Amino acid sequence: MPRFRLVPDRSELWAEARSTLHPVPVHATGLTGTLELEMHGDRLVLVPPTHVELETQRLRSGNALVDGELRRRLDSRKFPCIRGELTRSTAGKGEGTARLTGELTLHGATRTLDVEVTLRQLDPRTLEIEGARAIDMRDFGLPPPSFLIFKMQPEVQVKLRLIAARED
């Protein structure tokens, strides 16, 4: 069974929260983890114990006030890591896609989520996985921030691009 390890400086997360004033984009690199794969016919299939992690301190908006509030709300000292762990993978709707089910742990709360992803083998030793979905921060015990007329929507759009290199 091929095993791949994420390339942290090439694996990225983008998130965008909406507010009454403007969108609040967040970006991070440095995702870590391992991907286990099996060949099913001519296609690669992710299987457990695949997992991905991100240190919460790596999330950046480019605005020091927003970044400080983000770390405070995520309670980065108490919950320093966001972790996703695959529990099931099925064929997706199109060629090169998969429907992943897994456990996402954020701010000490774990929830089961599904996401449709694309899997591409960039070369014999490199794999790319991309996916996106909305996450409601209230599901993880995080009430949306508000201050005077500034109010955040609870739903955050999240996109991942994972690059993984085959282990020898």
Side-chain angles (χ1 to χ4, degrees), residues 3-166:
R3 182 180 187 153
F4 289 73
R5 185 163 303 280
L6 290 184
V7 179
D9 61 333
R10 294 182 63 199
S11 297
E12 300 178 84
L13 174 142
W14 296 269
E16 184 174 274
R18 296 274 177 191
S19 77
T20 50
L21 299 177
H22 54 75
V24 179
V26 174
H27 177 254
T29 58
L31 289 95
T32 60
T34 57
L35 311 175
E36 300 283 345
L37 290 106
E38 291 179 350
M39 288 299 293
H40 289 201
D42 62 346
R43 72 182 182 101
L44 287 169
V45 176
L46 286 165
V47 295
T50 290
H51 74 277
V52 176
E53 291 186 351
L54 176 65
E55 295 174 1
T56 54
Q57 68 182 357
R58 298 188 71 89
L59 295 167
R60 301 267 192 266
S61 69
N63 178 313
L65 291 173
V66 171
D67 291 348
E69 179 64 10
L70 180 61
R71 278 190 286 285
R72 187 184 75 73
R73 286 207 170 256
L74 291 176
D75 200 355
S76 293
R77 290 177 195 231
K78 187 174 181 181
F79 306 108
C81 204
I82 300 167
R83 181 178 172 92
E85 192 152 345
L86 180 71
T87 56
R88 192 178 74 198
S89 176
T90 57
K93 295 178 183 173
E95 188 173 328
T97 66
R99 184 89 176 153
L100 306 181
T101 301
E103 302 289 325
L104 179 65
T105 301
L106 169 65
H107 193 249
T110 302
R111 301 290 178 263
T112 300
L113 300 174
D114 292 316
V115 63
E116 183 96 6
V117 300
T118 58
L119 291 99
R120 291 187 325 149
Q121 194 152 8
L122 301 178
D123 60 51
R125 302 197 53 78
T126 310
L127 183 68
E128 175 189 68
I129 301 172
E130 290 185 307
R133 73 157 287 152
I135 295 175
D136 190 322
M137 64 178 81
R138 296 171 298 188
D139 292 342
F140 295 91
L142 295 165
S146 64
F147 179 74
L148 300 174
I149 63 166
F150 180 80
K151 292 185 187 249
M152 296 293 294
Q153 299 298 315
E155 202 168 80
V156 178
Q157 300 297 321
V158 179
K159 179 181 177 185
L160 282 173
R161 179 176 184 255
L162 306 175
I163 303 293
R166 188 176 183 141

